[in-house]
Amino acid sequence: MKHLKIIFNALKGGLTGALLLLTMPVWAQQDSLRMDSVEISLLTCQPHDEIYSLYGHTAIRYHDLRKGGLDIAFNYGVFDFKKPLFGLRFVFGITDYELGAYPFRLFKQEYQRFGSMVTEQVLNLTDEEKAALQQALAINMQNENRIYRYNYFYNNCTTKARDIIEQCIQGKVVYEPREDYTPTYREMVHEMTRNNPWSAFGNDLLLGILADKKTDIRQQEFLPYNLMYDFDHAQIYLNGEYRPLVKERRIAVAGGVQMVKDGFPLSPMTCGIILAIVGVGIFLIEWTRKDICKIWDILLMVIAGVIGIILFMMLFSQHPTVNINLQFILLNPLPWFFLWKVIKGKKTRYWHITAILAVLFLTGSCFQNYAEGIWSLALCLLLQCILHLQKSKTKGQNSKK
């Protein structure tokens, strides 16, 4: 988080002494009485209105209950918007996040400010497991280990917290199956962006066919709420015995009033409907007058070409779920190669090619969900293809006469 990055930088020096204590080998040999005073919890944070928080957040709390004991939030979601080309690097899947550690009271204040509820699940760990997790976090905090390559679905702040907790447990974490809940990545993204239609549109535009495959329980845990649910129902199995993974659940930060920013007043669907109405209206006028509006042709080609460049760039992204995107069949950089001829009113094969691509695009919809409103652009392009093909056919018949 942008704000947490600022906090982390400000407190980095002050926490050095505490973190050095965490890394001392003597901590791994502590007596059980000292570890009895330690609680380690999973923190699940409610989304708020900032774009980076639409899916919620996960962190780990290390709390020594003795007077003057450490109370630290470990957060794998620290990043800096000010880094050069941050947005571009994020899109291409080459974004580096890092583990931050700072007083829990500041973590708490952050979410109180946003009005977001934070749920705390106290883990049912043995003293040895607490010590192992303590040491693992300390190792992760070292300069050479703190930074990691972030991936939205497969290696994010939630999966990192889950993985480090699991690796420190003596035994196997057994999650309760959810056979009636097998959503795709796209469906889970839709659920989290239901109040942000343009964010959903952007995701659907970039996500490819792999985002429409059913997920298993572990893949679903990239979302904080899913991991929280699974922890609540998980058991630790060791030597023929089971024990609950979570021994207590409580509210660390009560939910408050959230400030919602006004977005663009029209949804992608509304814009798509308007585009379709305009496109059909222009088509009827063109068909009646036996003439083609060149300005409309150019506008459609520019829109399709701009989207096409974006989708073309995604072919080189390290995000595996964006590489195979069937929307690229119709929305690609092809219009830019023919645009000048259309502007000059010269004969071009663009509309013949686009007609074929439109049919393939339609077929692709059986395998991938397209972005809301994209169908309207496809319809407008197809209608223009029909006009141009009809015009070519008429010219051919006249020339034979």
Side-chain angles (χ1 to χ4, degrees), residues 381-394:
L381 287 168
L382 183 59
L383 290 176
Q384 293 306 108
C385 288
I386 293 172
L387 286 171
H388 282 275
L389 293 176
Q390 179 63 31
K391 184 178 180 180
S392 297
K393 181 180 178 181
T394 302

Side-chain angles (χ1 to χ4, degrees), residues 181-235:
Y181 182 67
T182 56
T184 65
Y185 281 121
R186 193 185 305 275
E187 288 170 343
M188 288 185 284
V189 168
H190 282 177
E191 177 63 23
M192 301 308 296
T193 57
R194 59 188 181 276
N195 296 322
N196 294 269
W198 283 103
S199 293
F201 173 83
N203 287 323
D204 281 339
L205 188 64
L206 299 182
L207 290 175
I209 192 171
L210 295 180
D212 290 299
K213 290 189 174 182
K214 295 295 184 181
T215 57
D216 59 32
I217 188 170
R218 194 161 188 84
Q219 291 171 323
Q220 294 158 18
E221 288 174 350
F222 84 96
L223 285 178
Y225 276 7
N226 286 345
L227 183 63
M228 179 178 71
Y229 176 90
D230 289 343
F231 266 39
D232 269 340
H233 298 84
Q235 301 279 329

Side-chain angles (χ1 to χ4, degrees), residues 91-93 153-154 202-203 205-211 310-326 328 368:
V91 168
F92 280 100
F153 288 136
Y154 307 116
N203 287 323
L205 188 64
L206 299 182
L207 290 175
I209 192 171
L210 295 180
I310 296 172
L311 297 187
F312 176 76
M313 292 170 62
M314 290 301 98
L315 297 176
F316 306 97
S317 174
Q318 292 186 19
H319 289 299
T321 48
V322 304
N323 293 334
I324 307 174
N325 191 337
L326 300 184
F328 187 70
Q368 177 183 325

